[in-house]
Amino acid sequence: MCGIVGVVSTTPVNQLIYDALLLLQHRGQDAAGIVTQQGRKFFMHKAKGMVRDVFRTRNMRALPGSVGLGQVRYPTAGNAYSEEEAQPFYVNAPFGLVLVHNGNLTNAQTLRTELFQTDHRHTNTDSDSEVLLNVFAHELERATAGVPLRPENVFDAVRAVHKRIKGSYAVIAMIAGHGLLAFRDPHGIRPLAIGRSADGNVMVGSESVALEGTSHVFERNVEPGEAVFITLDGTVHAAQCAENPQLNPCIFEFVYLARPDSVLDGISVYQARLNLGEALAKRVVSTVPPSEIDVIIPIPESSRPSATQLAHLLGVPYREGFVKNRYVGRTFIMPGQGVRKKSVRQKLNVIASEFKGRNVLLVDDSIVRGTTSREIVQMARDAGARNVYLASAAPPVRYPNVYGIDMPTSSELVAHGRTVEEIRQAIGCDALIYQDVDGMKRAIGSLNKSIVGFDASCFDGTYVTGDITAEDIARLNEGRVGVEENEEDTSRLALPNAQDA
């Protein structure tokens, strides 16, 4: 995942974009970038690191203009350590284009070949976002050949992009001298919202919190397959550019990725997590009698709403047992399993009095690799807990994710190829309770009946784009340079009925 934002204004936007990126920092801490436009000239600064570290006063002064976009990056494809792969990406023709992208293209390798052999365009990095930019540039050049650019030409280019690329993509791009474009893949896997300020600024961003936190009023979501083109005077043009759009948002956004104060596709993330806690309560009761639980403790931060609701329904005291050091990066998005494991105890410290002599039910939003869970269970035991139970508000993560979340290899996933009892033994807890897939989908889907379904591929192995096989995942992993330093053998990939794929 990444966080992206774009603004069209009548006043300088550098500070506005910076503030929006701070609100989206949870979506990526690897790199950050901003590009602005003054006249027909782009001004860009990007580098590895968090927003507060990448941008200094001198950098902000070098970003003039009333139109711009930005991104915080979390690497899922390409090289996690490359400065060159920080976004935005730029090409000088046609017109001059810059682009930021949240998601993951599943046919990037095929597209690279097409770009070189057929479109005669060059890509210089391993990033699928650079591929996407060049595909769009090629199609925009075809759509505007010999004619002035109009919104209809831009939409024709997006229609052609939809036909060529596969995977997940929420995109914001600037066309020099013309305006800002935002579009979303036909399944709406990654979120994208649009809003307006009282003084007429138009902002597009990954989450509603980026709009509301910068004094913009959320207006609506960009629909699956839709393109929105905002001219330099703030006029908004929109068109559906996909043949068969269908809303299938990533369910992991609601489980973990998004901020709880965001609303994605009509669903409050906070309420979704409360509902997950309510559904989880039924699973807990069938495994551990509430009378055997002395206290319920969340594993910060995303699990708090679920843990609160769970404690309320079971009639068990809710306590905070872990204090989080907010100056250590999120372990989930750190490159390198060794770094991730080392950081757990730096990141969390126990309040020993909440554990000593008690039967403790720990609640987490999800369990991915199991490394963090194992460390936390041991921390609870070291603090004196008599029994340590662990409940996950999400089902077992059994399958690779190919749409922009850093869990693409089966060997990384503690639940892959294991029963719940085997996972419990690997983590070291006294009881392990998981949400079930259908319960998760009902809990979240009930908040917006217009959603046809979710991408829940990491839980159920069903890939909504319909084009993923075990061979595809293996190929995608070949391009992941530096995202994981200590991965195990990735050749033993498995999907449901993988032997038939």
Side-chain angles (χ1 to χ4, degrees), residues 92-274:
N92 67 348
F95 306 105
L97 302 173
V98 286
L99 175 146
V100 290
H101 164 219
N102 174 31
N104 206 46
L105 304 189
T106 56
N107 65 334
Q109 186 175 16
T110 300
L111 289 169
R112 281 192 183 91
T113 302
E114 290 180 5
L115 285 169
F116 181 75
Q117 295 182 350
T118 306
D119 300 346
H120 303 159
R121 299 190 70 92
H122 173 68
T123 57
N124 203 48
T125 72
D126 295 319
S127 173
D128 60 340
S129 301
E130 189 188 16
V131 170
L132 197 162
L133 171 60
N134 276 274
V135 170
F136 172 65
H138 179 75
E139 298 303 336
L140 184 64
E141 192 164 34
R142 292 178 61 185
T144 57
V147 298
L149 183 141
R150 297 174 300 171
E152 292 77 12
N153 305 130
V154 178
F155 297 145
D156 285 342
V158 175
R159 289 186 183 97
V161 168
H162 284 325
K163 291 177 181 179
R164 292 185 64 180
I165 68 178
K166 299 177 182 178
S168 65
Y169 48 98
V171 174
I172 305 175
M174 276 199 302
I175 305 173
H178 291 280
L180 185 141
L181 168 69
F183 60 93
R184 199 174 174 194
D185 73 72
H187 290 277
I189 297 172
R190 293 282 152 242
L192 199 59
I194 185 169
R196 195 181 296 266
S197 69
D199 53 1
N201 293 348
V202 181
M203 177 180 282
V204 183
S206 291
E207 296 184 29
S208 62
V209 67
L211 281 58
E212 294 162 352
T214 54
S215 300
H216 291 74
V217 176
F218 169 81
E219 290 187 347
R220 66 182 183 88
N221 300 289
V222 177
E223 297 298 322
E226 183 185 22
V228 175
F229 183 62
I230 308 160
T231 57
L232 298 179
D233 63 0
T235 303
V236 177
H237 305 265
Q240 178 54 252
C241 297
E243 293 179 352
N244 297 298
Q246 187 176 63
L247 183 57
N248 299 114
C250 173
I251 206 163
F252 211 69
E253 292 275 0
F254 303 97
V255 170
Y256 174 77
L257 299 180
R259 274 180 51 151
D261 46 345
S262 283
V263 176
L264 307 181
D265 292 309
I267 295 177
S268 161
V269 175
Y270 183 76
Q271 186 61 54
R273 291 173 186 170
L274 289 177

